[in-house]
Amino acid sequence: SAVISQKPSRDICQRGTSLTIQCQVDSQVTMMFWYRQQPGQSLTLIATANQGSEATYESGFVIDKFPISRPNLTFSTLTVSNMSPEDSSIYLCSVTAGTGNYGYTFGSGTRLTVV
Amino acid sequence: DAKTTQPTSMDCAEGRAANLPCNHSTISGNEYVYWYRQIHSQGPQYIIHGLKNNETNEMASLIITEDRKSSTLILPHATLRDTAVYYCIVSENTGNQFYFGTGTSLTVIP
């Protein structure tokens, strides 16, 4: 199955700043997904990113706050903009696991703390 | 939105079978049932999936009721390393979004 490298693994940021999270996959994938996991909560889908098109955002998430780039079939970035303490979460990217309909593979996540 | 309902938490004695239930009464005919688990501070890990038939792999067994409205994940011999949050997800073939429910926090007790 696909292997995901997500960077940074963790960061502590000042409120009002922005952080860009990178997701690198070892194989070409059509769809990439970004999730947020707030402390003690389940995963919430932020957006779906297809190469060559605008990302599709879920209800409650907007492009100005979470801009996403998808420049090629192996890479994507998620930016958390104008951060506040409420943005403190784990952010994870996910891609198709591969052949055999095994769902999705997830990165290890980026643990973000906003102070 | 998530289409599954799971108990919030469960305990299981080490070495015993852990049976984790999931309700998905609105599942459609072409949706699969997937199970993932998330060990603290890690990304979710695939366990098993199925459409209609019961499935077994090296990690677990999946029992799906005949009407497909519920399923049970069975860990045959739970170990302390199986302590995790287990998520049941229904989704069509790869390419559709995964929506996570609240999951079941399983604690394996020595």
Side-chain angles (χ1 to χ4, degrees), chain A residues 31 33 35 37 41-43 45 48 58 92 96 100-104 106-108 111, chain B residues 32 34 36 38 41-44 46 49 87 93-102:
Chain A
M31 302 176 76
F33 305 90
Y35 288 84
Q37 186 170 29
Q41 303 295 313
S42 180
L43 284 77
L45 181 64
T48 301
E58 297 294 313
L92 302 103
T96 308
N101 194 20
Y102 286 82
Y104 298 95
F106 289 81
S108 56
R111 184 179 296 273
Chain B
Y32 289 73
Y34 292 86
Y36 280 70
Q38 186 177 29
S41 298
Q42 298 180 21
Y46 168 85
H49 76 286
Y87 294 100
N93 287 344
T94 298
N96 283 28
Q97 293 86 345
F98 266 18
Y99 294 101
F100 284 76
T102 54

Side-chain angles (χ1 to χ4, degrees), chain A residues 7 9 18 23 29 37-38 51 54 61 63 72 108 113-114:
Chain A
K7 294 180 181 179
S9 59
S18 298
C23 181
V29 294
Q37 186 170 29
Q38 294 176 300
Q51 192 268 337
E54 292 281 336
F61 297 96
I63 188 171
N72 57 53
S108 56
T113 302
V114 184

Side-chain angles (χ1 to χ4, degrees), chain A residues 41-114:
Chain A
Q41 303 295 313
S42 180
L43 284 77
T44 301
L45 181 64
I46 297 172
T48 301
N50 292 334
Q51 192 268 337
S53 64
E54 292 281 336
T56 302
Y57 289 82
E58 297 294 313
S59 176
F61 297 96
V62 295
I63 188 171
D64 290 347
K65 176 66 174 178
F66 298 101
I68 289 172
S69 77
R70 183 77 201 275
N72 57 53
L73 291 174
T74 63
F75 188 77
S76 178
T77 65
L78 170 76
T79 299
V80 186
S81 303
N82 188 26
M83 288 183 286
S84 66
E86 292 72 32
D87 293 320
S88 297
S89 298
I90 299 174
Y91 292 86
L92 302 103
C93 69
S94 175
V95 302
T96 308
T99 58
N101 194 20
Y102 286 82
Y104 298 95
T105 298
F106 289 81
S108 56
T110 296
R111 184 179 296 273
L112 170 63
T113 302
V114 184

